[in-house]
Amino acid sequence: MKTPRKLYFVLLAIFFVLPLIQMQCRIIPMPSLKGVQRPLEIPPISIHSVSRGEFQKAIESWFARNFGLRELWIRFHNQLLYSFLRTTPLESTIDVGKGRQLFEKNYCEYYLGMTKPDIDSLPFYIKRLQHLQKLLEARNIPLIMCFSPSKAAMYPQDIPACYEAQRRETSTGYQQMLELLQKNKIPYVDGPGLLNAGKKDVSAPLMARCSSHWNNYGAFYSCDRFITVAESLTNSSLGHPIIKNVIINHIPPSYDRELADLMNVIWVPWDYRIIHTTFGNSDSTGVKHKPRLLIEGGSFNWAWLDVMFSSKCITSADFYYYYSKSYGQHFFHDSLHDNIKLDPKIDWAKAVSDIDIVVIEINQSLMHMFPKEFVEEFTNYLEENQNPMNGKSSRLQG
């Protein structure tokens, strides 16, 4: 009886001591958790902070965030929930739907009307957008609105069943926005509508099972329509993206398993069909000028830009990632991955002198995130520096 008892106490000691050793030596390599807060620093200690209980509270938060093997226990816990119950922790931003389809919770809540966005100001924003459009037209720079899709709206049949009881009837503003753009004659590209039609073209999903965004094939439809709209506004031939090769397998790249990574499990699922696409350009004559874009929008633009660059439909682009938030701006020149830098402000003078087309992207479920700050600041600059082209043609025009 002594040997089992000794073994029990040895294992118990290891269980308590190993996390402390891991904190110091990292003897078990573990990848950092995705989408969580950064580790806290050890709080400073003082008589005042101890007497008021502030230090104790801070050190408790620090230890909870930094104790050894924390990543392993969290991943193990999440793995059990996913593998056996097909669910995620309550605090997770990810939900497991039917057929193990992964969704971001907020997209489901907006699509089902559980969260009602504030869209009452859309008519006012459109009026400001129309004013910006006119100021840009004076410089022969067209403005095009582009809409990206919500996965919940694209694949509603796979939304987790637990949401159905909470479904409400409310508008997300998407249809209202389309009607306002049509009424005010502001050019746009309806990415969700194009994606819905394109779902019949291929056997693999255009939004991967473990991703919240469209893949390159899904973004292709929006890119192709964008070129059509741009050609009509600039009276020029730009060359359209074309699909050269398609491979369907079960090897998802990182952007097609982003939600699986955010689940923070031990074994990231990737047993699902993925479409890999190679693009070319329809232009066989060698168009002299390809457009340079200024883009404001969110993460759906990564795949969109990838298609535009790989198909050589654009020269370069300045991408202002969520301009209305404090993420900074991402600049891209010549290719999607080269010469990336961050800057807290836009050099409007340089931007206006270089760009050919302005693009504003917004998701169909997030009309309340209309980039009003971007529109206002851009408008203010153009009003203060009115320098129309005086009839000069855009460099895109032949």
Side-chain angles (χ1 to χ4, degrees):
M1 294 293 293
K2 290 184 178 181
T3 300
R5 185 177 298 176
K6 289 180 179 179
L7 180 61
Y8 169 77
F9 281 110
V10 168
L11 292 176
L12 190 63
I14 292 174
F15 179 81
F16 283 106
V17 173
L18 188 58
L20 300 177
I21 298 175
Q22 174 74 6
M23 290 176 68
Q24 297 296 321
C25 306
R26 304 290 295 181
I27 57 177
I28 301 176
M30 284 296 299
S32 300
L33 299 175
K34 304 284 187 181
V36 297
Q37 303 104 322
R38 295 177 180 177
L40 299 173
E41 298 294 330
I42 297 177
I45 185 172
S46 66
I47 296 176
H48 178 74
S49 65
V50 172
S51 63
R52 294 173 61 90
E54 296 172 353
F55 173 77
Q56 293 91 321
K57 184 177 180 180
I59 198 69
E60 181 181 353
S61 299
W62 174 85
F63 186 77
R65 192 83 62 80
N66 292 278
F67 74 86
L69 300 180
R70 172 177 178 264
E71 296 93 345
L72 178 61
W73 302 135
I74 290 176
R75 289 182 183 276
F76 181 70
H77 170 257
N78 294 349
Q79 187 71 58
L80 291 177
L81 290 176
Y82 176 72
S83 298
F84 294 101
L85 300 177
R86 291 288 182 260
T87 188
T88 57
L90 288 175
E91 67 274 12
S92 175
T93 60
I94 312 301
D95 262 335
V96 184
K98 299 167 187 175
R100 291 186 291 171
Q101 190 83 244
L102 300 186
F103 292 90
E104 286 188 81
K105 288 182 178 179
N106 64 323
Y107 283 104
C108 293
E109 291 170 355
Y110 281 121
Y111 173 72
L112 296 174
M114 296 163 56
T115 300
K116 185 177 180 180
D118 181 11
I119 57 174
D120 294 338
S121 298
L122 284 184
F124 171 76
Y125 294 151
I126 290 297
K127 289 298 182 184
R128 296 300 295 161
L129 189 65
Q130 188 180 41
H131 183 47
L132 173 61
Q133 177 194 26
K134 292 179 179 178
L135 291 171
L136 288 169
E137 285 178 347
R139 298 172 179 262
N140 283 323
I141 301 174
L143 168 69
I144 303 176
M145 286 288 296
C146 290
F147 294 94
S148 56
S150 160
K151 188 176 185 180
M154 290 298 109
Y155 299 96
Q157 70 277 7
D158 294 327
I159 291 177
C162 61
Y163 282 102
E164 288 301 322
Q166 306 176 65
R167 184 177 187 132
R168 304 288 186 272
E169 292 297 330
T170 185
S171 170
T172 62
Y174 166 57
Q175 291 298 331
Q176 180 184 355
M177 177 69 90
L178 293 182
E179 293 170 3
L180 286 169
L181 292 175
Q182 291 173 355
K183 180 180 178 181
N184 291 278
K185 298 181 179 180
I186 299 175
Y188 67 89
V189 175
D190 181 11
L194 295 168
L195 194 70
N196 249 328
K199 286 193 299 185
K200 304 172 185 178
D201 291 352
V202 291
S203 58
L206 300 181
M207 303 181 81
R209 197 182 80 191
C210 291
S211 174
S212 187
H213 299 95
W214 52 17
N215 51 31
N216 290 4
Y217 200 118
F220 161 79
Y221 297 100
S222 176
C223 293
D224 185 55
R225 181 63 59 85
F226 173 83
I227 293 296
T228 298
V229 175
E231 287 179 331
S232 68
L233 294 173
T234 60
N235 296 317
S236 58
S237 176
L238 303 176
H240 285 246
I242 59 173
I243 296 172
K244 295 178 65 176
N245 188 38
V246 173
I247 297 175
I248 297 177
N249 58 30
H250 289 70
I251 308 175
S254 58
Y255 54 80
D256 276 337
R257 62 171 193 269
E258 52 175 343
L259 296 188
D261 289 334
L262 285 174
M263 282 199 304
N264 291 312
V265 293
I266 296 176
W267 297 287
V268 177
W270 59 351
D271 55 336
Y272 50 94
R273 290 167 64 79
I274 290 296
I275 185 167
H276 303 266
T277 315
T278 304
F279 299 97
N281 194 285
S282 65
D283 174 44
S284 59
T285 61
V287 174
K288 185 176 180 180
H289 296 295
K290 299 287 186 177
R292 172 178 169 79
L293 309 181
L294 186 153
I295 305 170
E296 194 286 336
S299 50
F300 278 85
N301 285 286
W302 301 122
W304 195 87
L305 277 169
D306 192 27
V307 176
M308 297 296 280
F309 276 120
S310 59
S311 62
K312 295 181 172 52
C313 284
I314 60 176
T315 299
S316 55
D318 284 2
F319 176 27
Y320 301 95
Y321 182 63
Y322 282 125
Y323 179 82
S324 61
K325 294 187 176 182
S326 57
Y327 293 132
Q329 280 74 53
H330 297 239
F331 295 77
F332 295 89
H333 298 283
D334 302 323
S335 74
L336 187 60
H337 304 291
D338 293 341
N339 303 318
I340 300 175
K341 66 177 181 178
L342 298 177
D343 199 312
K345 294 178 64 178
I346 293 181
D347 183 347
W348 290 112
K350 181 179 184 302
V352 172
S353 67
D354 287 350
I355 59 173
D356 299 303
I357 301 172
V358 173
V359 181
I360 296 179
E361 176 268 327
I362 189 168
N363 189 269
Q364 70 176 121
S365 289
L366 306 176
M367 291 297 113
H368 58 291
M369 293 178 64
F370 185 88
K372 50 184 179 294
E373 292 180 31
F374 173 82
V375 172
E376 286 300 318
E377 292 188 19
F378 202 173
T379 298
N380 291 340
Y381 172 81
L382 294 175
E383 286 178 335
E384 295 169 3
N385 299 270
Q386 294 194 33
N387 181 29
M389 299 291 287
N390 296 323
K392 290 177 63 176
S393 297
S394 164
R395 72 184 186 92
L396 297 178
Q397 294 175 326

